[in-house]
Amino acid sequence: MELRLLPLVVFLVAARAAAGPGGPQASQPDAIELFVAALERVAATGDRQQIFSLVHPDAEMAGISEFYSSVTPAPERLVIKERDRTPLEEGGLRLLLEVFSERGIEGRLLTWRADVLVVDADAGKGTAPAWRLARMERLTVVSGLYSLELDTTRQFDVRNLTLTAPDLTIEMASGNAFVAEASDGPTAVVLVGRGRMLVAPSDQAEQTQLRIFGGSNALDADFDAAFIRVRPSEFRTRFGAESLVPRQVSSRDAGRARDIFDEFIGRTLHLDLGDLSRDRWSLVPSVGDLIAEVRTRRYGSLTYTRVWNEAEDISVFDRARRRNITVYASSEKLAARGRFYSEDDLVDYDVLSYDLDVAYSPDRLWFSGVARVKIRVRASSLTTMTMRLAEALTVRGVHSPDFGRLLHLRVVGQNSLIVSLPATLVHGTELWLSIIYSGRLEPQGLDREAISLGQEPDPLQIPLEPRYMYSNRSYWYPQATVSDYATARIRLVVPPAYDVVATGMPTGDAAPAAGPVSPGERPWKAFVFDAERPVRYLAFVASRFSTVHTSELAVPSLRTGTLNLAETIARAGGDADAPRAEANSSLSLIVQANPRQTGRARAVAGTAAEILRFYASLMGEAPYPSFTLAVAESDLPGGHSPPYFALLNETRPTAAIVWRNDPVAFENYPTFFLAHELAHQWWGQAVGWKNYHEQWISEGFAQYFATLFAEEERGSDTLQGVLRQMRRWALEESDQGPVYLGYRLGHIESESRVFRALVYNKAAMVLHMLRRLVGDESFFAGLRRFYADWRFKKAGADDFRLAMEAATGRDLTRFFEGWIYGSAVPRLKFTHAVKDDNTVLLRLEHLDAVVDLPVSVTLTYTDGQKEVVVIGVTERVVERSIPLKSRLRRVEVNDDHAALAEFER
C-alpha cells in the first residue's frame, strides 16, 4: 500500500514531448523555433498590428483573435514554449505551444494548438521559409497562479487567536503574524509565538492512532510557529480583526517570519513550471479547505489538511517520518457521502484494456516501451487525465489516434503523469492513448506478503539467484490512479539469459526478438501473455527459470466436488439461487523454478494442484484459465500473487535468519504460504477491495482459505495449531486498531507485524467465527453469493455483510461492527453446573459490550469421550443445558482456540 501523501502538495513540471516528424534536429534554431521566438516577442507587446503581422492571409481568425485577447493588455512577462510539432496534410505543421503570462503577482498558463503555413510570397526565393499562423485553438488554461511573497511591510500582533477547522483548534494568546496576499486578499499567514494545536477526532479508531503516536486520544501540542493556507475570501471569517491587530514592523520579527514562510511555502499548493518560470508559483485553497503546517516542540513539523474533494478529507501528517497519523472523513463528509465509499468514485475514467510492448534489461534495470491504453470517460466531461507512472521513467511522447500528439506533464514526487486532451470528452467516450517511455526503475520487494525482520543475510552464503519483480507498487507501466479491472496483452523482451512470468496466459514459448544481434551473441527473447479476463493490475518477474511441471486440472463444481468441505457444502444444499459452476471446466497449471529450486518446485507442484482444485470446489470455478507458480529462492519465506501467477519464496536450508516470531510464520505447517498465495487468485484478484480499509477482503480471506486447506489436508489438530497462533497474535495486537484500518495498522511505528496480526490473522479468525455462528451451509452459500456478485469488481465489508445476511436471513450488523470496525476484545465469564448427573448448565456472560461470537465448550467424560458444543453468544447472558452422555470429568471453554475473547472462570 502506498502511503497517502498530502493531496494538495502538487509540484508540476512541464515535460517536453518527443519531436515528431519534421521536429528540430540541429543545435541551431530552425525556422519554426525562430517563428515561435518571434511570436513570443510580439505577443509580449500586446500590440495587435505586430501580432497580426505573423498571421497567414488565409487564416481562420476566430482562434487567433482569442489568442490576441489572452495577451492584452500586454503582460509584464510572457513565455511561449514549443512542446511538439507534427506535419499537416496540406503541407504545414501543427504546433503544440505553452504560453505563460504574468501580470503582477498573478500568472496564467495556457496550451494552444497552432497550425502554421509558409506564406506563398516567400516560395522559391531560396530563403528560409517564412511561417505564419493559419489557425489557433486553445486547449487548456490554468489560472489563479500566484507568486506569493511574504509582506514584511505589515506586521500584526496576535491577540487571543482561535482558528478552527473540523476537529482542529489552533490557539495563540499572543505573538506576531505576517501575511502573503493573492489578488483578492491574504491566503498565507505566518504565526510566530507560543501556541497550542489540538486535533480531537471523535472516531475511536483515529483516537487509537493518536494514542499510539502521542499517548493520548487527542493530539495536544505546543508550537512556536505555524504556516496557514486559507482561501482569500475566507480569511476574515477565520482570522477576526480583533485577533490580528496592525502594529509597527520589527525587522527581527520579519526575518523570523520570512524564514518560516520560505520553509513551508514550497510544501503546499506549489507549482514548479520548469522552463516557463523560475519563480515560485502557488494555487489557493478551494472553498472550505485549510492547510496548517505547525512546528511543534515535541513532534517536529506536523501538517493538518482539510481537503473536501478527498474521500477522507481530514489528515494529520508527520513530515519528519513521512507517516500518516490520522486519515478520515469529517462528520460533514460522512453526512454527504455516507459511511462507505469506493476509490472508483474519485476517478474520471475507466481503463478498459492495456497493450504493452516493453523491453527490459535486468542488468541495467532499464525499461523501454510503448503502452497502449484504452479508456472510457466516467466524468460528465474530461479535459485532462492523470495516470500513474514511476517518476524515474521518462515519458517520450503521448499520442492518440483521434487527436494526434498530446501535451503531458509530470507530477514531481507523486509518480503521476497528466495528459492534456485537445477537446472536452463527454461521459462514455472511448479512446486509445499510446505512451512512449523509458528509464531505470528499481524492482519492488514483496512488502507485507513476505516476512521481514530487518536481519542481514550471512555474507558467506552462496548468492541468491537474482530475480526482478515489478508489480502494483512499482508503477512500471502507465495505469489508472487506482486499481482498475481491465483486459491486457503484454509483450516483454529480455536478454537471452532471462525468462519472464507475467500476468496473463502464456501464448507459447519465447520467440527471438526482432532486431540486430552482435556477432557471438544470442538474440533477446520475447514473451507474450494474454489476459482475456479482467485483472486489477499487471505484474511480471524476470529471472532464470525453467519449466518443471505443466498440467490441465479438472476444476470440480460444487455439486460434483470430491473434497471433504465441498462434499459438506453440496450435501447441505445451500441457497437455491446461488450460482453453480459447470462440472467440466479446467485450469492450466505451470510451475517454473530457479535452477537450484527445481527439485522443490517438482515436489510442490502436486500440492499446488490440490490447493487450486480445493479452492475451485469451494467457489465453483477458477477465476483465470491459467496459473503459473514461479518458485524462487530467498532467505525468508513469503510470496506475491498478481493475477494469473504467484511468486513463491523457498528458503535455503542454510539460511541463518530467524523468522519464527512473526504472525504468519506457521512453522508446523509450511504449506501455509503457498496456500495463502494461491487463494489470492480468488480474493484480492478476482474480487478486489474498494479502498484501503477493505484490504482484509484480500488478506483475511486468503488467510482463511489457507486455514481451510490446512484443515482439509492435515485435520483438526493442525487447524487448532493454526488458530492458536492466529488468536495469540490477534489478541496481542487488537489494541492497535480495528481490522478496517488496513495498511495503517502498525504504520505509525513502522511495525508490519501489527498489520499481519490483524488484517491477516484476526480477519481470518473473524471469518471462522462467522462460519461457526451461522453454520457451514449458510456460510458457504453466502461466500459463493458474494464471490459471484463481485467477481472482477471491488467489494467492501458492507457488501460482504449483505451477501451473508441474504444467505442466512440474519441481521449481522453487530457482528461486523464489533469485529471489523471495532477493536475491543470481548470479556466473558464462563460457569457450568451439573444437575442430577443428567445435564450440565453452561453459562456465558458478556462483562463489557455485547459482541456476537461463537464459543465452543468441550465436555470430557470419564470414559474418554469428548463432546464439543458451539454456543452463539449473541445476548449479554446465554445459558445452555446439555444432556450428559456419561459421567463428566471436566469442562473446558474455547479449547479449540476458535473464539477471540478473554474468559474468566
Side-chain angles (χ1 to χ4, degrees), residues 181-197:
E181 296 203 14
S183 60
D184 51 349
T187 183
V189 183
V190 174
L191 301 176
V192 183
R194 300 191 63 175
R196 175 175 176 254
M197 174 190 190

Side-chain angles (χ1 to χ4, degrees), residues 28 138 141 161 208 520 547 597 642 860:
Q28 296 297 319
R138 181 170 64 89
V141 58
L161 169 68
T208 298
T547 301
Q597 297 299 325
T860 303

Side-chain angles (χ1 to χ4, degrees), residues 285-468:
S286 299
V287 174
D289 291 354
L290 181 138
I291 304 168
E293 302 275 4
V294 183
R295 197 170 67 188
T296 70
R297 297 175 181 272
R298 180 180 177 185
Y299 306 112
S301 293
L302 301 179
T303 305
Y304 167 95
T305 64
R306 196 291 173 96
V307 183
W308 177 255
N309 64 1
E310 290 289 311
E312 296 182 309
D313 55 322
I314 298 177
S315 70
V316 177
F317 184 70
D318 179 359
R319 284 203 175 274
R321 296 190 298 162
R322 298 187 63 78
R323 291 288 182 268
N324 291 315
I325 303 167
T326 62
V327 184
Y328 60 98
S330 65
S331 57
E332 183 183 2
K333 171 68 74 170
L334 289 174
R337 184 202 73 194
R339 183 177 187 181
F340 305 105
Y341 73 96
S342 171
E343 60 188 6
D344 288 344
D345 297 337
L346 308 177
V347 300
D348 295 324
Y349 65 91
D350 280 329
V351 173
L352 303 180
S353 186
Y354 293 100
D355 187 351
L356 306 184
D357 195 343
V358 176
Y360 173 66
S361 173
D363 298 337
R364 299 171 55 214
L365 304 180
W366 189 265
F367 281 85
S368 180
V370 178
R372 296 180 67 245
V373 185
K374 185 179 183 181
I375 70 165
R376 176 189 294 138
V377 177
R378 287 172 52 106
S380 58
S381 62
L382 186 67
T383 57
T384 63
M385 56 181 296
T386 301
M387 305 188 78
R388 292 288 194 193
L389 182 66
E391 186 178 9
L393 300 176
T394 299
V395 176
R396 305 296 181 185
V398 180
H399 180 272
S400 165
D402 300 304
F403 302 112
R405 289 184 178 271
L406 304 177
L407 180 71
H408 63 274
L409 303 168
R410 294 309 306 265
V411 182
V412 179
Q414 298 278 317
N415 294 318
S416 292
L417 167 69
I418 297 178
V419 178
S420 294
L421 301 170
T424 299
L425 304 185
V426 298
H427 177 80
T429 302
E430 296 183 4
L431 77 156
W432 282 91
L433 294 178
S434 294
I435 299 101
I436 305 168
Y437 65 101
S438 62
R440 186 180 187 276
L441 183 63
E442 294 283 342
Q444 73 177 55
L446 297 188
D447 196 30
R448 301 175 191 264
E449 289 292 302
I451 293 173
S452 177
L453 303 183
Q455 303 173 58
E456 294 295 329
D458 186 349
L460 300 180
Q461 288 277 354
I462 298 173
L464 297 170
E465 183 71 48
R467 59 110 187 276
Y468 307 88

